[in-house]
Amino acid sequence: MQRVTDQLDIPVPDDFHLHLRDGELLRAVVAESARWFGRAIVMPNLASPVVTVAQAFAYRERIVRALPANNSFVPLMTLYLTDQMTVAEVKRAGASDVVFGIKLYPAHATTNSAHGVTDVAALDPVLDAMADMGLPLLIHGEKLGPDIDVFDREKVFIKDVLIPLVRRHPQLRVVLEHITTEEGVQFVLDGPETVGGTLTAHHLLLDRNDMFRGGLRPHHYCLPVLKRMEHKRALRRAIRSGHPRLFLGTDSAPHPISAKEASHCCAGLYTAPLALALYAQVFDEEGALKQFGAFASHRGQAFYGLPVNLGRIRLSRQSRPVEVPERVLVAPGVEILPFYPEDGLHWRAERI
Ligand SMILES: [Zn+2]
């Protein structure tokens, strides 16, 4: 009889795509990421975006101040690429020891992206400078336009923007973040060694049917939006493949419940508290648990040139579903709902 793996020890992982927000929201959520991850690539899309190295330093300070006592979590900062980004700022970022990437949001693609790039090709000198400094370009891979269906944004972006960009900048490392489609997976699988990609737990667990199950479900709304079932299957095949440049990025993106349960609901799922257990459950379902340590704790680190973390995490399968996490209190009357899968969660993570 084949022995079923029910426990797995891995080095403390890093989260290669995380939204920590700012102010009271930051103070309410940072501890959960710091509990499970050694480092995180922190997204720069604050209400006032992080566009300079000085702002990245200041934001980093606010994050560190919000950490629990004696916590060694390291925020890896990013800058927000705008049409106004200069080569001089890229050089400052590359020479700093706090900025680890520059983030490309197409204008208006997601939360706080009004400052995003309108024409990537116009930024070629900036991208050349990033390649010279070894700074990766982190990409929200969606093309928007009046004739582009919301479910096709990623596919169209890859064809119209990303493939030409990688051809123009063969030395530039790029990360296609939160891949949601078969085309996105294929882009990384077929790509050169400069191309990596991150996968979220929720895009591995959910597809667009989950947004409509029994009524419109704002807590399942995220961007890039959930896709067809067949795309979720392609993502799951990708984790089985053990590809060396596909790695963990939760895209955990908290919003107050009042902003989710609204006529214009904000995009994002808050997955940080259970992230490792959520991923473990998917890897287990796919018979790919042996790949999970590399996915979470080695591949992204190799891509970013970071050492493997020293601490360890134990993941164990539970015979009963683990308890649903409590809502997070941000301020009186302001709460966040952590994601919990409706079919239950049978994995638990602990620091060992
Ligand atoms: Zn994101």
Side-chain angles (χ1 to χ4, degrees), residues 17 19 43 45 103 105 140 178 223 251 253:
H17 181 135
H19 297 271
M43 290 297 119
N45 62 329
K103 172 83 185 205
Y105 289 101
H140 181 111
H178 42 55
L223 286 172
D251 197 13

Side-chain angles (χ1 to χ4, degrees), residues 25 36 76-77 92 106 109 121 144 159 176 190 196 224 282 297 349 352:
L25 211 48
W36 302 116
L76 309 173
M77 308 310 292
R92 267 193 290 280
L144 277 67
K159 183 165 95 26
L176 180 58
D190 296 344
V282 174
S297 309
I352 53 172

